[in-house]
Amino acid sequence: MTGSAIPRYWSRPRIIAVAVSALALMVFIGANAHLIAVAFATQPDCVAHSKSPTEGAVSHIAAKSSC
């Protein structure tokens, strides 16, 4: 006999597909980890805001000032 009739499970296209999928998953997890790290590492400064709404203009007032 000159070879098996059963195809190999880990063929080259399957290995490449698994490797590309694993790389994409690692990039996705790494990007999310970076966003979380940046969100916890940066602290916004105190921003001056209006204490009362102005007439005719839309303004946003902080519910509770942290300053």
Side-chain angles (χ1 to χ4, degrees):
M1 297 245 150
T2 60
S4 64
I6 301 172
R8 292 177 37 195
Y9 182 74
W10 289 105
S11 62
R12 183 179 300 231
R14 189 171 295 211
I15 292 172
I16 292 172
V18 168
V20 169
S21 299
L23 180 64
L25 184 63
M26 287 189 300
V27 168
F28 179 77
I29 291 171
N32 282 312
H34 177 261
L35 288 174
I36 291 170
V38 168
F40 280 111
T42 59
Q43 295 295 325
D45 291 333
C46 183
V47 178
H49 63 275
S50 163
K51 299 286 183 189
S52 63
T54 59
E55 291 294 325
V58 177
S59 64
H60 301 287
I61 302 171
K64 181 178 178 185
S65 178
S66 63
C67 301

